[in-house]
């Protein structure tokens, strides 16, 4: 026997009821976002891989569905934001800003599957290009909270951060690009828990291992400016070791300086980890947390402007009806992708069993447009929700019922199938959900089929019914049977549905 082909791990099948609920959520939110001026767009699922290299660095590239086909490097969309930027550059550069876009569709990431975590899942979100940063940030935060109110989800936690605080500190350390990007990409892991922080530190320790003899030189270098090649050469000249030729001596000097540089990078990285640990420790609800954060930034000599921006945003979301105790300031918050430049935020929901799930993520990304090929930076911000996770937090009482079939047309014989199709078409034109019995087993089997599928009305059609232009209606709940014209059935069905 041939082996059955199974569904891929991390993927899931969307069955009729779940599909209807997902479609309902998308339709509800699309209407809601449309009222705020967000135009629906639908970029392709498949894009050139280079489009996502700017937003998903080396650390995350291994999680993408990237492949080579006909000499092209391609990628299944892992995120919408870069695709929307590419769409803007292709079609809208001559349009005045701001521009508002909304989207809904699948994204793909090769991550470890888990509870409510799939390798293909559905996102719905918005991107706001242009506009004044403070006003635009306020709008997307208001909309993100509005999405939850629209779906009657009231139990959630809004985490607000600002990547400018951590990036400003890291940039001041003069780390190399790889180390700086790595630290920023690990911020999400660091901000989650002590365990995540320990894993991130272990990763950095492995990449920048200690060398005590070199570290002393690096510490001296940090105090005196830098270690110059001429000093190392002078030191080597005083050692009675033969290096063969000048090229070998030069290589030894270069390798030593490289080690000193690596050791200095390690020292600075550990210093940055201390700062991020301090940021994570000062996390809490407004207004009290602002004073502690100001004190921390002052201690490190950092600009407090991001705090003023966050205070304004807190006022906005509180005016939207978000309780103060559901807002958390977390300046160590990282979003796992490298394109954020200012505000970052997440919304977490808690299920009845206490399971904490991220429902939404977003923020400001003013440099991504240039990174994907634009001629200049463009102010931009946005957010996205995971539709599957949203559904798990919506009360079943607020979801629509499954649209059941209302009538089954049963032809008496195969010669009556054309008339059965005509009757079904007329019923559907009137708005009735109608199927045709295509089993060809006759009336008795057709009635049993309708009963098994819990279809209340059987519309029996034969030669007599066709000549009269009627159907024989069998109510499988009451057992009543009568002839009727198809037009008169609609009112009967509506009356019965109102009684249920």
């Amino acid at each position: 026997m041939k082996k059955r082909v199974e569904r891929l791990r991390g993927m899931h099948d969307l069955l009729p009821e779940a599909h209807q609920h997902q479609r309902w959520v998308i339709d509800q939110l699309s209407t809601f976002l449309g009222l705020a001026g967000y135009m629906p767009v639908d970029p392709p699922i498949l894009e050139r891989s280079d489009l996502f290299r700017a937003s998903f660095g080396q650390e995350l590239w291994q999680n993408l569905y990237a492949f080579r086909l006909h000499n092209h490097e391609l990628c299944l969309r892992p995120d919408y934001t870069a695709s929307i930027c590419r769409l803007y550059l292709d079609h809208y550069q001559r349009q005045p800003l701001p521009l508002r876009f909304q989207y809904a569709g699948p994204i793909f990431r090769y991550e470890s599957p888990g509870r409510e975590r799939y390798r293909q899942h559905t996102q719905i979100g918005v991107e706001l290009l242009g506009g004044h940063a403070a006003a635009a940030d306020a709008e997307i935060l208001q909309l993100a909270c509005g999405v939850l109110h629209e779906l009657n989800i009231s139990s959630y936690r809004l985490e607000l951060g600002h990547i400018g605080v951590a990036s400003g500190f890291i940039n001041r350390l003069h780390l190399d690009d790889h180390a700086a990007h790595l630290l920023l990409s690990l911020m999400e892991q660091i901000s989650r828990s002590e365990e995540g922080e320990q894993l991130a530190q272990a990763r950095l320790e492995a990449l920048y291992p200690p060398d005590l003899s070199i570290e002393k030189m690096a510490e001296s270098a940090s105090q005196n400016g830098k270690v110059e090649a001429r000093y190392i050469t002078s030191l080597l000249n005083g050692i009675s070791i033969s290096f063969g030729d000048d090229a070998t001596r030069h290589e030894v000097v270069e390798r030593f300086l490289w080690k000193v540089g690596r050791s200095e990078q390690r020292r600075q990285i550990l210093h940055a980890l201390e700062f991020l640990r301090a940021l994570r420790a000062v996390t809490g609800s407004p207004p009290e947390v602002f004073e502690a954060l100001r004190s921390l930034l002052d201690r490190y000599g950092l600009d407090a402007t991001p705090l003023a921006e966050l205070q304004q945003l807190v006022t906005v979301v509180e005016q939207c009806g978000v309780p103060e105790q559901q807002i958390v300031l977390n300046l160590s918050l990282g979003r796992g992708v490298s394109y954020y430049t200012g505000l970052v935020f997440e919304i977490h929901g808690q299920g009845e069993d206490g399971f904490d799930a991220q429902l939404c993520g977003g923020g400001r990304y003013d440099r991504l447009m240039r990174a994907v090929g634009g001629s200049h930076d463009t102010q931009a911000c946005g957010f996205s929700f995971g539709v599957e996770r949203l559904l798990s937090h919506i009360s079943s009482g607020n979801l629509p019922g499954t649209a059941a079939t209302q009538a089954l047309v049963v032809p008496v014989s195969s010669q009556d199938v054309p008339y059965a199709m005509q009757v079904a078409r007329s019923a559907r034109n009137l708005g009735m959900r109608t199927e045709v019995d295509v089993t060809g087993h006759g009336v008795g089997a057709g009635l049993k089929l309708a009963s098994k599928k819990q279809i209340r009305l059987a519309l029996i059609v034969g030669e007599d019914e066709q000549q009269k232009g009627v159907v024989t209606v069998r109510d499988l709940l009451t057992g009543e049977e009568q002839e009727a014209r198809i037009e008169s059935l609609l009112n009967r069905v509506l009356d019965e549905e109102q009684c249920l």
Side-chain angles (χ1 to χ4, degrees), residues 21-320:
H21 290 164
Q22 183 165 302
R23 190 69 257 165
W24 176 82
V25 167
I26 292 172
D27 289 344
Q28 291 285 109
L29 298 185
S30 181
T31 300
F32 171 74
L33 297 171
L35 292 173
Y38 286 80
M39 303 178 293
V41 291
D42 189 15
I45 290 173
L46 191 63
E47 297 269 18
R48 295 185 184 275
S49 298
D50 287 349
L51 179 63
F52 301 105
R53 292 190 190 277
S55 52
F56 285 78
Q58 283 186 328
E59 296 304 306
L60 293 173
W61 192 251
Q62 61 186 345
N63 294 334
L64 305 188
Y65 284 88
F67 54 94
R68 185 177 182 83
L69 183 66
H70 301 311
N71 296 319
H72 295 293
E73 298 291 338
L74 306 175
C75 183
L76 294 180
R77 176 177 62 213
D79 182 68
Y80 265 94
T81 303
S83 290
I84 298 295
C85 288
R86 195 264 314 142
L87 178 148
Y88 166 77
L89 293 173
D90 283 352
H91 304 283
Y92 289 96
Q93 286 195 73
R94 295 185 179 181
Q95 296 287 328
L97 296 176
L99 286 171
R100 294 173 169 86
F101 299 112
Q102 62 163 296
Y103 56 81
I107 67 164
F108 303 83
R109 297 187 191 179
Y110 192 77
E111 298 174 326
S112 298
R115 179 171 174 175
E116 297 178 4
R117 181 194 293 273
Y118 304 107
R119 288 174 174 170
Q120 174 188 333
H121 66 271
T122 309
Q123 277 191 348
I124 185 167
V126 302
E127 309 296 347
L128 173 52
L129 309 181
H132 184 269
D137 289 349
E139 176 168 309
I140 65 163
L141 266 182
Q142 181 188 48
L143 277 177
C145 296
V147 162
L148 297 171
H149 296 163
E150 188 75 8
L151 299 175
N152 293 312
I153 299 174
S154 57
S155 179
Y156 62 87
R157 180 179 77 258
L158 171 63
E159 285 197 33
L160 294 175
H162 197 294
I163 205 72
V165 174
S167 63
F169 180 82
I170 290 170
N171 290 339
R172 201 173 64 181
L173 296 178
H174 304 296
L175 293 169
D176 62 46
D177 288 344
H178 176 73
H181 288 152
L182 183 60
L183 265 173
L184 288 172
S185 69
L186 290 174
M187 273 185 64
E188 181 176 23
Q189 197 172 15
I190 293 168
S191 68
R192 294 290 177 223
S193 63
E194 288 185 10
E195 182 182 3
E197 178 189 316
Q198 291 166 3
L199 290 172
Q201 181 158 351
R203 175 77 187 282
L204 291 165
E205 293 268 10
L207 290 172
Y208 295 85
D211 186 327
L212 297 179
S213 61
I214 298 295
E215 282 194 355
K216 289 183 179 179
M217 181 69 75
E219 186 175 352
S220 173
S222 69
Q223 294 171 355
N224 300 320
K226 64 179 180 178
V227 179
E228 295 185 8
R230 61 190 179 91
Y231 292 130
I232 303 301
T233 303
S234 175
L235 177 64
L236 293 175
N237 287 335
I239 303 175
S240 56
I241 299 177
S242 174
F243 291 97
D245 54 28
D246 288 341
T248 303
R249 181 186 296 274
H250 178 73
E251 182 182 348
V252 170
V253 171
E254 289 299 315
R255 287 177 65 188
F256 187 84
L257 289 173
W258 180 82
K259 281 191 173 184
V260 170
R262 290 276 294 179
S263 191
E264 171 62 11
Q265 293 290 299
R266 169 186 162 79
R267 197 183 70 80
Q268 297 281 40
I269 284 170
L270 294 179
H271 184 40
L273 279 174
E274 288 179 7
F275 174 67
L276 294 176
R277 189 180 296 118
L279 272 184
R280 191 167 75 84
V282 186
T283 297
S285 296
E288 295 81 9
V289 72
F290 280 111
E291 194 58 42
L293 286 170
R294 281 194 194 89
S295 176
L296 177 66
L297 297 189
D298 184 62
R299 190 161 75 245
Y300 280 90
L302 294 171
D303 183 12
T305 301
L307 281 186
E309 295 176 15
L310 289 174
Q311 273 191 295
Q312 290 182 339
L313 292 172
V314 166
T315 301
V316 169
V317 295
E318 284 181 342
Q319 289 173 346
C320 295

